[in-house]
Amino acid sequence: MQTITKHYIDGAFVESHGREVMEIISPTNGEAIARVTLADEEDARRAIAAAGRAFASFGRTTKEERASVLRRLHQAVSARLGDLTDAMVEEYGGVVQFAAPMVEAGASAFLAAEKALQELQLTRSWDKTTVTYEPVGVAGLITPWNANALFLCMKLASAVAAGCTVVIKPSELSALQTQVWLECLHEAKLPKGLYNVVTGRGEVVGAELVRHPAVAKISFTGSAAVGKTIMREGAATMKRVTLELGGKSPNILLEDAQLETAIPRALAIAFMNSGQACVAGTRLLVPSSRLGAVKRAIVDAMASFPVGDPADPTTAVGPMVTRKQYERVQSYIRKGIAQGAEVLVGGEGHPRGFEAGNFVKPTVFVNVTNDMTIAREEIFGPVLCVLTYETEEEAIEIANDSDYGLHGWVSGTDLQRARRVASRLLAGRVAINGMLDDQRAPFGGFKHSGVGRESGTHGIEAFLEPRAILE
C-alpha cells in the first residue's frame, strides 16, 4: 500500500503539517490502496507564501520566457503519459479508453496555451495611451476528481501563460494521480514557488485559499453549491473568480438524424467517463414521431457499452469514484422510477458479477418529462433521460429549460438547420455531429454552469488585468 505524506511547496516535496490521514479506496474492488496525509491551513499558508515570493520575479517575465516554461511542462508530462493513465485507472476507476485521451489532452494543454499566448496582444496603444495586460498575482487552482491530470494541466497552463504563480488544491480523492503528476513536473526543474500543490479537503485548504488576502484569483471546477460559496466568501477580499460548474447538457436529435450513427454517439456522449463528466449529454431530445425507432436503436446499441474492469480497453463504463457516489446515482434511479419514468435498459443495483466495486448499470429512462428530478439535476453517473418534442421550437425550449448551460449537442444531416439550432442553445459550447473538442476554444457555461471561461486566449485573459498608462 502506497503512503503519501508530503506536499509540494517552494520547489520541493515537504512533510505535511496537517495530520489527518485518509485511505484511498479502489472503486473497482473496494480495497484500500493508499494512505494520504492531508494538508491543513498552515500547509496552505506556506504554499501561498512561496507562490508570493515567486511571483515577484515570474510576474515580470516576457512572453517568450513563459512560452519556454510551457514547452518544458509539456515535455515533462508527455514523458509519463502511461503512468498517469495507469494512476487514473487504478485510483479513480476511469476506463482506459477514456483515461488515456484525457491524460494526453492534459499534456497538450500546455502547447495550446503557448499558441494562445503568442496570439494574445499583451500591449495595446493609441494616441498617448498604452494598455498593458498584467498577471493578477497568486492564483488558487481548485480541481475536481473526475479528470485529474486534464484539469491540473489546463488550469496551470493558462495561469503560467499569464505570468501568475499558483497554489493548487487537487481533490483529495486524486492523491495518487497527483503524486505521479508532481513527479513529472519536478523533473522540469522550474523556478521554485512557481507551482505549489497541497492536497486536502475543500473546507480546509480550499477555504484558506478563498479567504487569504494574498490570493488574487480562484479558478475552480466542481459543484454549483461550492461555486456559490466561493463567490460569496471570496467577495471579502475581492477575489477574481473563474467557476466551471455542473451541467445537464441537452442532446437534440433532429428529424433527419441517422439513427445508426446518432444513437451510438448519443450513448457515448451520455456515458463518457462512466457518466462522471460535467459535459455529458444526459438529456436526449428526440422527435415524438421517431421515439419507437430510437428506443429500438438504444437497446441494440447498448451491447457496445459494456461494464467492466476499467483497465480492459474494451470496457466502456467503469465504477463510480466512491461508494457515496454509487449511492447517489442509485437514489436518482429510484427517483426516476418513483416519478413515473420508464426504465428502458439498466435500473437499480450492481451489474451481475460486479458487486464488489462501485459499479452502476448504465441506465436509460424513457417517458421522461423535463420537470422530473432526473431531467433537472446533475446525476454524475451513467444515466440518460430520453425526452420527446413535436417541433424544432419546442426542442430548443426544452433544451434551454434548465438551470445549467455548460454544453449542448445537436445531431442532424442538414448542417444549416443543425447550426441554426445550435446557435439558439444557451450553452458555453455546442458540438454538432460528434464528440468534439478544441483546446483553443473557450470552455465554461451559462447560468448555473459557471462564471468566466477557460482554455485558449479566453483562459489566459482570466488571469490578467488591464492597466492603462496615459501621457
Side-chain angles (χ1 to χ4, degrees):
M1 181 183 295
Q2 188 170 347
T3 300
I4 299 173
T5 62
K6 296 180 179 181
H7 309 294
Y8 195 84
I9 300 174
D10 210 17
F13 290 96
V14 298
E15 288 292 336
S16 177
H17 180 272
R19 305 318 309 156
E20 181 186 357
V21 177
M22 185 188 78
E23 283 193 335
I24 299 291
I25 306 298
S26 166
T28 303
N29 58 28
E31 297 177 0
I33 55 176
R35 290 191 180 92
V36 180
T37 302
L38 300 180
D40 63 7
E41 291 90 342
E42 178 59 26
D43 291 306
R45 287 191 284 267
R46 291 174 179 175
I48 294 167
R53 291 190 296 270
F55 181 71
S57 56
F58 191 73
R60 298 195 302 271
T61 51
T62 65
K63 182 182 285 190
E64 290 69 27
E65 288 170 326
R66 297 172 198 171
S68 176
V69 169
L70 290 167
R71 288 192 295 270
R72 288 160 66 184
L73 286 165
H74 168 72
Q75 293 168 359
V77 174
S78 296
R80 295 188 63 184
L81 294 178
D83 293 337
L84 287 163
T85 300
D86 291 345
M88 184 173 175
V89 172
E90 178 189 20
E91 181 178 40
Y92 167 64
V95 296
V96 71
Q97 63 175 247
F98 181 85
M102 284 301 97
V103 169
E104 291 171 8
S108 298
F110 295 114
L111 295 185
E114 181 198 1
K115 189 167 187 178
L117 176 60
Q118 301 300 346
E119 295 171 355
L120 264 180
Q121 192 177 348
L122 297 179
T123 302
R124 305 171 193 178
S125 60
W126 59 90
D127 299 330
K128 293 185 177 181
T129 298
T130 300
V131 177
T132 58
Y133 289 81
E134 307 293 336
V136 297
V138 174
L141 312 181
I142 304 175
T143 61
W145 42 258
N146 62 322
N148 186 63
L150 173 63
F151 286 108
L152 290 175
C153 292
M154 185 170 67
K155 290 182 186 293
L156 178 61
S158 293
V160 165
C164 292
T165 56
V166 306
V167 177
I168 304 174
K169 191 215 85 67
S171 169
E172 64 274 19
L173 298 177
S174 304
L176 290 177
Q177 299 168 75
T178 300
Q179 181 69 18
V180 178
W181 186 78
L182 279 172
E183 291 168 3
C184 295
L185 267 61
H186 186 67
E187 291 301 312
K189 296 180 172 56
L190 298 176
K192 293 181 179 180
L194 171 59
Y195 65 96
N196 306 270
V197 181
V198 279
T199 297
R201 299 190 184 278
E203 62 270 24
V204 179
V205 176
E208 181 64 22
L209 292 177
V210 171
R211 64 175 169 252
H212 200 290
V215 177
K217 163 85 180 182
I218 294 289
S219 177
F220 168 79
T221 298
S223 72
V226 175
K228 291 175 185 177
T229 299
I230 289 173
M231 288 193 76
R232 183 171 58 249
E233 300 299 323
T237 51
M238 289 295 175
K239 288 285 188 292
R240 277 65 177 147
V241 297
T242 296
L243 306 174
E244 192 269 285
L245 308 176
K248 195 68 183 177
S249 301
N251 184 0
I252 299 178
L253 264 63
L254 299 174
E255 283 92 342
D256 62 353
Q258 296 179 340
L259 298 188
E260 61 270 23
T261 56
I263 291 302
R265 184 168 60 231
L267 293 175
I269 288 169
F271 298 154
M272 70 169 83
N273 205 13
S274 306
Q276 297 173 124
C278 52
V279 300
T282 53
R283 289 185 297 148
L284 180 62
L285 280 61
V286 304
S288 297
S289 61
R290 303 195 71 185
L291 178 60
V294 166
K295 289 165 66 174
R296 290 190 295 273
I298 288 173
V299 172
D300 292 342
M302 284 301 297
S304 299
F305 297 89
V307 176
D309 178 0
D312 184 336
T314 66
T315 295
V317 179
M320 302 295 94
V321 64
T322 60
R323 183 72 185 185
K324 179 180 179 181
Q325 185 63 21
Y326 167 85
E327 294 295 349
R328 171 186 169 87
V329 176
Q330 294 299 312
S331 72
Y332 275 107
I333 292 173
R334 289 191 292 271
K335 286 178 185 176
I337 295 169
Q339 291 181 1
E342 175 191 342
V343 175
L344 179 65
V345 294
E348 285 189 76
H350 291 86
R352 185 175 298 176
F354 293 97
E355 291 79 10
N358 304 325
F359 293 90
V360 170
K361 297 176 185 176
T363 298
V364 178
F365 282 104
V366 294
N367 296 339
V368 178
T369 56
N370 212 38
D371 59 347
M372 292 181 179
T373 301
I374 56 172
R376 303 208 67 81
E377 297 183 10
E378 186 176 40
I379 298 172
F380 231 58
V383 179
L384 173 64
C385 299
V386 178
L387 302 95
T388 59
Y389 66 88
E390 299 297 334
T391 65
E392 177 183 308
E393 194 67 28
E394 186 185 15
I396 294 167
E397 182 180 343
I398 293 171
N400 289 335
D401 180 17
S402 171
D403 288 338
Y404 296 105
L406 184 60
H407 209 298
W409 312 81
V410 179
S411 291
T413 55
D414 182 343
L415 280 180
Q416 185 174 354
R417 183 184 185 191
R419 289 170 185 148
R420 182 177 69 239
V421 171
S423 71
R424 295 186 60 193
L425 296 185
L426 300 178
R429 278 192 183 185
V430 183
I432 297 174
N433 291 332
M435 294 179 65
L436 308 173
D437 186 32
D438 182 348
Q439 291 191 322
R440 296 171 64 192
F443 182 74
F446 290 25
K447 299 184 282 188
H448 288 207
S449 286
V451 174
R453 294 295 183 269
E454 299 188 88
S455 296
T457 56
H458 295 81
I460 299 171
E461 287 171 344
F463 291 90
L464 297 169
E465 288 279 21
R467 177 173 62 206
I469 298 178
L470 292 72
E471 297 179 12

